[in-house]
């Protein structure tokens, strides 16, 4: 109604935008990929370590003045070294997370994805050979034939799928029951991927099972009982909240709109956006990422 010609989401996901309506009215829809990969993967790794070593519980215990001295059983958690990390969705973020856990903690990898993560497999193989050459046990990788295989075998599982009809409540009561009793589940993807009601019940019934969540089913709200669970770490959607990434997202979002207003073509690879973020040179004359460019018949940049 206001006559807008462009809308740019300051995020990679755009499930909050009616793209069909945008196509109908000729409104370009922009998003901001290419700058969130490492930052999001780092938070997933942080939640994994925090859950494994019960850091949040221990911090609250200390602040409450309950610490009387060292005890052999105080906040005993999980050792990550030599364990198996499971990744569901081995795209850019999932693969970056896997590399952090493998290289950082010498974990073995099992992953499930519709497409083979060839670069990730090559990395794990090469890193395993490096460890072996230095007299250490090599790390291994395995591409699972099903998601359930990952859930059964992994000690730490991180979710990195897209959100659509096939991934809604991907983690439900049945699939939670497949996981190890002391497993760790991390979600930095989309809240509705996890059935939060089923998760709360599982956390109650399995006190050694732990979870780290950055996203929620009914954001900004949590399902009843989740906030009371000591074996849950909950943070307010901060996966992309590094200074560099948030500045980059704002820049890309603005340049998407500017590009449409000026009639620029669309950048050829929205995952390679470094030229737009170089403070020492002007950005290319292109829109960084327009998700409905094809539907609107927008031309691709030859820069």
């Amino acid at each position: 109604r206001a006559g807008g010609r462009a809308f740019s989401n300051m995020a990679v996901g755009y499930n909050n935008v009616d793209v069909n309506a945008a196509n109908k009215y000729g409104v370009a829809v922009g998003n901001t990929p290419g700058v969130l990969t490492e930052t999001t993967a780092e938070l997933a790794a942080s939640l994994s370590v925090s859950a494994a070593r019960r850091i949040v519980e221990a911090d609250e215990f200390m602040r409450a003045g309950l610490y009387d001295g060292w005890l052999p059983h105080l906040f005993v958690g999980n050792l990550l070294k030599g364990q198996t990390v499971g990744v569901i969705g081995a795209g850019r973020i999932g693969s970056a997370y896997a590399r952090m856990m493998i290289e950082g903690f010498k974990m073995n990898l099992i992953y499930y994805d519709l497409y083979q993560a060839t670069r990730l497999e090559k990395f794990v193989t090469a890193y395993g050979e490096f460890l072996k050459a230095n007299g250490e046990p090599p790390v291994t990788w395995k591409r699972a034939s099903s998601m359930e295989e990952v859930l059964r075998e992994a000690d730490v599982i991180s979710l990195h799928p897209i959100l659509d009809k096939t991934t809604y409540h991907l983690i439900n009561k049945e699939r939670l029951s497949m996981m190890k009793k002391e497993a760790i589940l991390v979600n930095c993807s989309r809240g509705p991927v996890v059935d939060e009601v089923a998760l709360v019940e599982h956390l109650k019934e399995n006190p050694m099972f732990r979870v780290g969540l950055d996203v929620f089913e009914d954001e900004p709200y949590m399902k009843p009982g989740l906030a009371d669970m000591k074996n849950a770490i909950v943070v307010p959607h901060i996966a992309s909240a590094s200074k560099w990434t948030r500045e980059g997202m704002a820049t890309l979002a603005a340049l998407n709109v500017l590009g449409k207003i000026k009639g620029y073509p669309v950048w050829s690879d929205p995952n390679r956006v470094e030229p737009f973020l170089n403070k020492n040179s002007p950005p290319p004359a292109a829109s960084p990422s327009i998700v409905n460019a094809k539907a609107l018949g927008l031309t691709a940049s030859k820069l």
Side-chain angles (χ1 to χ4, degrees):
R1 289 175 184 166
R5 286 183 286 158
F7 173 86
S8 196
N9 222 24
M10 193 170 150
V12 173
Y14 50 91
N15 53 294
N16 57 323
V17 183
D18 188 340
V19 179
N20 290 330
N23 294 340
K24 180 180 177 181
Y25 294 107
V27 177
V29 178
N31 67 338
T32 60
V35 290
L36 293 91
T37 301
E38 298 296 327
T39 299
T40 303
E42 283 183 4
L43 186 80
S46 300
L47 289 173
S48 301
V49 177
S50 297
R53 298 304 304 271
R54 303 174 64 179
I55 289 173
V56 174
E57 289 179 82
D59 177 89
E60 292 175 349
F61 181 86
M62 192 73 185
R63 291 174 189 272
L66 300 174
Y67 180 53
D68 289 330
W70 185 89
L71 292 170
H73 60 271
L74 190 62
F75 294 109
V76 172
N78 298 19
L79 177 71
L80 294 176
K81 182 180 179 182
Q83 301 300 301
T84 298
V85 60
V87 174
I88 295 174
R92 292 183 303 277
I93 297 172
S95 291
Y97 165 82
R99 288 184 56 159
M100 290 175 188
M101 302 306 289
I102 293 160
E103 195 170 11
F105 300 100
K106 298 182 176 65
M107 300 186 77
N108 298 307
L109 170 68
I110 181 170
Y111 80 92
Y112 176 73
D113 198 294
L114 296 176
Y115 303 97
Q116 185 173 6
T118 306
R119 291 180 64 186
L120 177 60
E121 292 174 1
K122 288 180 178 179
F123 166 80
V124 182
T125 299
Y127 186 55
E129 291 172 352
F130 167 79
L131 291 174
K132 192 174 180 180
N134 284 273
E136 297 185 64
V139 292
T140 62
W141 64 264
K142 177 182 179 183
R143 183 185 179 192
S145 58
S146 68
M147 187 183 70
E148 288 76 11
E149 189 177 355
V150 176
L151 297 177
R152 285 191 291 266
E153 294 187 18
D155 301 289
V156 181
I157 297 163
S158 191
L159 306 174
H160 299 280
I162 60 169
L163 176 63
D164 59 21
K165 293 178 181 179
T166 67
T167 59
Y168 177 79
H169 281 190
L170 193 71
I171 302 300
N172 53 26
K173 181 177 181 179
E174 180 185 1
R175 287 182 170 138
L176 284 165
S177 68
M178 297 176 184
M179 299 174 67
K180 296 178 180 181
K181 296 296 183 183
E182 296 186 7
I184 294 166
L185 178 67
V186 173
N187 187 18
C188 289
S189 60
R190 295 289 184 270
V193 168
V194 176
D195 181 344
E196 225 166 275
V197 172
L199 177 63
V200 171
E201 289 305 309
H202 192 75
L203 289 167
K204 289 178 181 177
E205 295 168 5
N206 299 275
M208 294 309 294
F209 183 94
R210 291 187 284 280
V211 65
L213 301 175
D214 180 54
V215 288
F216 306 90
E217 203 172 343
D218 300 319
E219 207 163 306
Y221 308 106
M222 293 184 284
K223 294 293 187 185
L226 182 58
D228 301 322
M229 304 309 301
K230 292 290 186 182
N231 46 343
I233 298 175
V234 290
V235 295
H237 205 145
I238 58 171
S240 64
S242 71
K243 186 174 182 293
W244 182 84
T245 294
R246 287 287 169 86
E247 287 180 352
M249 292 168 70
T251 300
L252 294 173
L255 291 176
N256 276 329
V257 175
L258 181 68
K260 184 62 169 65
I261 291 171
K262 287 184 171 289
Y264 290 159
V266 179
W267 190 243
S268 58
D269 187 351
N271 293 310
R272 291 186 170 281
V273 293
E274 292 84 359
F276 293 96
L277 307 177
N278 186 352
K279 295 180 179 180
N280 298 318
S281 63
S287 295
S289 177
I290 303 296
V291 299
N292 59 341
K294 188 175 181 181
L296 297 182
L298 301 180
T299 58
S301 171
K302 296 180 180 179
L303 295 174

